[in-house]
Each structure stands twice: as structure tokens, then as C-alpha cells.
Amino acid sequence: MQPRPTQPRPTRRPTRPKPMHLAAHFPGVNNTTVWADPRSGSQIDFASFEHLARTAERGLFDFFFLAEGLRLREHKGRIHDLDVVGRPESLTVLNALAAVTGRLGLAATVNATFNEPYELARRFATLDHLSGGRAAWNVVTSSDAFTGENFRRGGYLDRAERYTRAAEFVATARKLWDSWTPDGTPRPFAHHGRHFDIAGEFTLPRLPQGHPVVIQAGDSDEGREFAASSADVIFTRHGTLEAGRAFYADVKRRLAKYGRSPADLKIMPGVTVVLGDTAADAHARAEEIRRQQVSPQTALLTLERIWGVDLSGYDPDGPLPDVDPVPDPQLSQGRTRQGDSVATAEKWRALAQERGLSIRQTVIEAEARQSFVGTPEEVAAELTQFVARDAADGFILVPQLTPGGLDEFVDRVVPLLQERGAFRTAYEGTTLRSHLGLADPVRNA
């Protein structure tokens, strides 16, 4: 009997890494930006926006992201001069950027509390048409009556109510975008709800990508639920792999109740990166950047926002205050509160006691903004790991320098991500939805 020929074992193809999404955030009104650095440029000159956007497109990023400030923030009743900067209106800047970019998505932060659906739907439809389908809306809300003083209607809404209004706002805007048929025929629209009661005809035909991509920023339970029901991207913050995986799993599991799949919502935390030729060099640079971001004055102001009392008599290089914080601090206005101030103060005291830290050292340690620090190879590997282990679908990079803070990442890290097969080597589509791998929205009849 002839022996049976041995069948060759099938070769196992290497597993392709989960694709990574990248976006760039233009630094806003906070102490992430190192204003004192000689390389730091204007926050108003269009050339700054153009430089950062062109760099992001050269790096094949999904989108370019602008923040919004509706009132100059105050501290102790005075303009907070450490981080306030004149910022042009986001949609105006992005319409201009549409003319000098070809594929990059263009995302504007616009408040759903202080705008109206018809007017805002027209503005985003205009951007989407001018850019050929690259518009995105970062939906934010506000319960801040201080900011609301700039608006006739006022600004106060309970936390739950502001998300209810935002959800209805987005649904109403989508109804407007859907009101034209695909063949270019306008139809009347009508919406009768709790917050909005409008009817008429929308002035612009259906958008190139159907609807702008909707981004939501926030980590609260209400924010997570709103993102699961209504958003395409969630812009969040979490500093460790474990925290990222917990957030990712929690938000993705909420999608099913709204008839959505995990791929319908991309989770992209805001991160910063510090690179060096060696790990030691990168960590030394990161430490210096932290010291630039947290000056002695900034350290005291940061502590005052938590303690809620005047701490100007304290030494920034001395110990934390021995007085108890005020449970609902009102010293700073125009800022979003980050959790329980009393709990935060207790946590910071424990950190300072454990490590023997001064006020400034505690703020630097507790508010550290460098998410990924190392050589380009180390950073590329860590970014890839976060995506592979479902801690994120991608990242929104927040550079500490304007406008050149993204250059080094694009030149040194993006090629390594491409070599790993973790990031695109060319744009495959023309719309932002295609970059993010999102399906076209189902048109409401």
C-alpha cells in the first residue's frame, strides 16, 4: 500500500492589528499649552490653524478638532489671565480650513444649550457641502448660568435636563438634514417636542455624508448614555489601560438597547505625547513640560478651584492647606466642575502626604497631562496596545505647542504605526464617515 501523501499544514497569516483612528485637537483655553515656549505661536492667526490642520492631514488623521469658549472665564471676579485666549468662532475657522485641506475631517465644538436646531443645522450643512462631506459636530451642553448671562434666554439647566435637550436637539437637526430627498427634492419638516416646536422647509439639499459626524465629550453616566444613543464618536479621558478598558466596555455595552453595534461608536480619548531619543530623555522632557504647564501661580489657582477659598497667602512650594475645602466652590466661574471637590481634596492630601509633595508638586503629579511618554518606538507600541486591548478605538492628540506641536508625532510615530499595520497608509475615502468606518446614516422617511 502506498503511503498517503502528507498534506501541508495551512500557514497562519499574521493577525492584522485593529485599525487605529487619530485626530488632532487645537489646544484651547487651559494650561495644557505652554505659552512661554518661544515656539508657541498665535491662537488667533489663521496660519496657526492652517499649520496644525495641514500637519494632521499629512499624517492621514481622521479629523481636526476645535474647542469652543462662550465666555471668558473668571477667578475671584477677574478674568483668569493664565489661560484665557481670544478664540475665533469654530465653524468660521473650519469653513476656511476646508479650502486648504482635501480629506481631513473638520470638527467644531458647538453648545446645544445656547443654540437652536434650524440655525445650527444650516451651519453644519454648509460646512459639509463646502468640504465635500467632512463636517463633524462635537455636541456639548452647559448648566452654567455664568456663561448663560451672555445669552438672552439664560443658561441654567439641571444636568439631566441639559442632556435631554441635547438629545432632542440632535434628533431635530437630523430630521432637518433628512428633509430633502436623495434626488434633491425639498420636503416640509415638522418637529413638536418638549424643547423645540418648529416647522418649515430646510434650505440646503441632503449633505454629502448624509449627516455630520456627531461627537460627544463627557464621562458622566448621563454623557455615556447620550453617546450610546446619539453619537458617532465619544471624546473622553482616561489615563491607564485598565481605566480605558473599563470605560470602553461600559459604553459599548449600552449600544444594543438603541439598536446599535459596537462599531457604530468610536471611543477616542484625548491624549498627549512626549517623545525622546531615549526613554530617559522623554521622561526628562515630560517633567520639564509639566513644570512649564504648572507655574507657582497656576498651582495656587488650581488648588483654589478645588478648595473654594482664597489661598493666595500660601507658599506654592509649601504644604497643602490645613483648612477644609468648601463643598460647592464658586471662586472660579466658566469652568466645568470635575467631580466632588471634597473627595478630590482628600485624594490630593493623601497623595501629598504619601510622597512628601508641596502644593505645586501635588498639582503637577495629580494633573499630569502626558499620557504617552517614551521613544517613538515605545509610544507606537503602547498606542497599538491600547487599541488592541479595547481601551480605545483611537486617540485625539492634544499637543502642548501651537502650531507645531503635532509635527514630531507625524514625522516619527505615524510611520512606525504604519509599519505595524495599525494605521492607514492612504485615505481610502473622501468623507469623514469613510475615514472612521461609519455606515451612512439611515434616512428617516
Side-chain angles (χ1 to χ4, degrees), residues 243-259:
R245 295 189 70 198
F247 179 88
Y248 189 99
D250 177 65
V251 173
K252 295 278 186 174
R253 70 170 175 78
R254 298 173 189 242
L255 292 164
K257 75 173 77 172
Y258 301 104

Side-chain angles (χ1 to χ4, degrees), residues 72-93:
L72 299 179
R73 300 187 290 195
E74 294 182 6
H75 186 73
K76 301 178 187 175
R78 300 188 302 273
I79 298 300
H80 186 23
D81 59 354
L82 288 183
D83 66 1
V84 167
V85 51
R87 171 59 61 81
E89 192 275 324
S90 296
L91 278 166
T92 304
V93 173

Side-chain angles (χ1 to χ4, degrees), residues 19 36 44 48 52 54 59 75 104 126-127 235 244 260 262 337 340 350 363 374 412:
I44 300 175
S48 292
L52 199 61
R54 285 186 181 273
H75 186 73
L104 183 69
T126 299
L127 176 60
F235 174 40
R260 308 180 70 197
R337 289 188 60 194
D340 184 341
V363 173
R412 302 186 68 186

Side-chain angles (χ1 to χ4, degrees), residues 23-37:
H25 186 279
F26 193 93
V29 286
N30 54 51
N31 67 301
T32 297
T33 306
V34 179
W35 310 109
D37 193 296

